Amino acid sequence: MEDEFSKLIRRMNPPRVVIDNDICEHATVILVDGVNGHGLLLEIIQVLNYLDLLITKAYISSDGGYLMDVFYVTETDGKKITDKGTINYLQSTLETKASFVNSMRSSVGVTPSKEHTSIELTGADRPGLLSEVSAVLTDLSCNVVNAVLWTHNARAAAVLHVTDQSSGYAIEDPERLSKMKELICNVLRGSNDFRTPHMSISSNEMMHRERRLHQMLFADRDFERPESPNHKSSRRPLVTVMDCSDRDYTAVTIRYPDRPKLMFDIVCSLTDMQYEVYHGTVITCSTEAYQEYYIKHIDGFPISSEAERQRVIVCLEAAIERRASEC
């Protein structure tokens, strides 16, 4: 009944998407307002990332069950969006996303496919890991169509798309898939790794790969830094988490050198940790990005303990650092 009532509310309050090239001299302004839902902000940002648009500024507001989000975006060359096809795609896709909050396994630009088999794996990182996995797949007469691998804090996660060498399509033979899983898990199993490696195989991909990699490394607890005196990292993100008792929120601020998809990585982590963003501001300049979010847990309460505060800090740091290893 609650689900049907939510659908009724959305039908009575259709979303509004405005794309304007006149308001700002340097960027295209995109305004989205409508009924809010958990994960909707992430879905909207993911549409922008799918088109390789850069978010230079953003203002987020979603109190009272409704959202009004404003994004200042440019093409990768720093210019406004002028292509009518791109503008029409943005208009229709954002309206669809704002009308129906999809399940957390769905994503823009991703559809179920029988053209390839999707392999997801996590385990201990080491030199040559991807080569060893590829060698196993070659021995099993599989072609690697594409692969994305992230490594962070001595952990590795990868999503690979493979096809049968003879047919060129997805691999569906249960015995062959079972053998593939057994051999790759043996490769993933490190001699000093106390964590069990994980692998799943599917011919029915249903999630954007970068979103999935974030989830896989988060589940693998890559935010736990190795206790090694030789472990060094590049410039750490400056993440602060503060009480905002007068407004009953938790304030999260991030400072980090600006790069594409930074906002996506942060909002993805907050969403997967079951937090809602009620207000937010994103400002970028030539050297640094500043992002500020006012959040609550989906149960409606702000962060209530020092342990939870520290967990949010280390998880956001990990989400920002992961992309540096993308290949």
Side-chain angles (χ1 to χ4, degrees):
M1 287 297 295
E2 290 181 0
D3 185 56
E4 292 301 317
F5 181 71
S6 298
K7 292 178 181 177
L8 175 61
I9 293 296
R10 290 192 175 89
R11 293 192 198 102
M12 294 173 62
N13 298 272
R16 181 170 64 108
V17 177
V18 177
I19 301 175
D20 194 298
N21 269 322
D22 298 324
I23 297 176
C24 178
E25 181 180 355
H26 305 292
T28 298
V29 178
I30 301 174
L31 181 148
V32 183
D33 68 42
V35 179
N36 193 28
H38 182 64
L40 181 54
L41 174 61
L42 178 58
E43 292 282 351
I44 293 170
I45 297 171
Q46 198 163 274
V47 173
L48 304 180
N49 286 343
Y50 178 67
L51 295 173
D52 291 325
L53 300 176
L54 304 179
I55 301 172
T56 61
K57 284 194 298 185
Y59 302 99
I60 310 300
S61 181
S62 61
D63 258 338
Y66 292 85
L67 64 84
M68 178 174 286
D69 299 341
V70 182
F71 302 91
Y72 290 72
V73 303
T74 68
E75 302 272 13
T76 53
D77 59 5
K79 297 180 180 179
K80 296 181 181 183
I81 307 168
T82 56
D83 180 69
K84 290 184 177 179
T86 301
I87 291 174
N88 290 336
Y89 176 85
L90 274 170
Q91 186 85 39
S92 60
T93 306
L94 290 175
E95 285 178 352
T96 300
K97 291 294 178 184
S99 295
F100 304 100
V101 181
N102 294 341
S103 70
M104 302 315 291
R105 290 293 301 179
S106 67
S107 175
V108 63
V110 177
T111 56
S113 173
K114 292 292 183 180
E115 299 300 314
H116 59 252
T117 297
S118 180
I119 299 175
E120 298 179 352
L121 53 90
T122 56
D125 183 33
R126 68 172 185 276
L129 177 61
L130 187 58
S131 292
E132 292 180 34
V133 171
S134 298
V136 169
L137 294 172
T138 300
D139 289 342
L140 292 173
S141 300
C142 302
N143 286 325
V144 179
V145 179
N146 54 62
V148 181
L149 171 71
W150 283 2
T151 61
H152 182 248
N153 284 346
R155 309 304 299 172
V159 178
L160 302 89
H161 293 166
V162 302
T163 59
D164 177 73
Q165 201 171 68
S166 57
S167 69
Y169 292 100
I171 302 164
E172 298 181 341
D173 178 44
E175 291 186 7
R176 191 175 175 191
L177 292 175
S178 177
K179 183 67 173 178
M180 184 188 301
K181 187 169 184 177
E182 176 187 353
L183 293 177
I184 293 179
C185 280
N186 287 337
V187 170
L188 291 174
R189 192 171 289 111
S191 57
N192 297 319
D193 187 17
F194 65 91
R195 304 182 202 177
T196 303
H198 294 279
M199 177 180 170
S200 63
I201 302 175
S202 172
S203 60
N204 200 23
E205 183 189 25
M206 290 295 290
M207 182 173 280
H208 186 276
R209 284 185 299 176
E210 293 174 356
R211 173 81 190 283
R212 188 66 188 127
L213 286 166
H214 273 302
Q215 291 185 335
M216 291 160 63
L217 282 169
F218 175 71
D220 199 48
R221 304 183 66 83
D222 74 315
F223 47 84
E224 297 177 347
R225 297 186 180 275
E227 295 181 3
S228 169
N230 298 321
H231 177 74
K232 297 180 181 179
S233 62
S234 57
R235 176 181 171 182
R236 294 273 294 275
L238 179 58
V239 180
T240 60
V241 178
M242 303 172 293
D243 291 333
C244 192
S245 55
D246 58 324
R247 295 161 71 179
D248 202 28
Y249 298 122
T250 296
V252 178
T253 62
I254 303 102
R255 292 184 181 272
Y256 193 70
D258 189 35
R259 61 160 173 78
K261 302 185 180 181
L262 179 60
M263 186 179 182
F264 168 81
D265 295 335
I266 293 168
V267 174
C268 186
S269 182
L270 290 172
T271 302
D272 288 339
M273 286 190 290
Q274 301 294 297
Y275 291 103
E276 296 278 8
V277 176
Y278 285 81
H279 299 281
T281 302
V282 174
I283 301 173
T284 64
C285 62
S286 58
T287 58
E288 188 178 62
Y290 173 80
Q291 302 195 18
E292 179 181 73
Y293 301 97
Y294 291 87
I295 66 170
K296 295 180 186 179
H297 196 266
I298 58 171
D299 60 11
F301 292 96
I303 291 174
S304 58
S305 68
E306 178 62 19
E308 185 182 3
R309 190 181 76 86
Q310 289 298 326
R311 182 173 180 270
V312 169
I313 291 174
V314 297
C315 288
L316 287 176
E317 288 176 346
I320 293 169
E321 293 171 344
R322 285 171 192 147
R323 193 174 294 277
S325 63
E326 182 178 7
C327 68

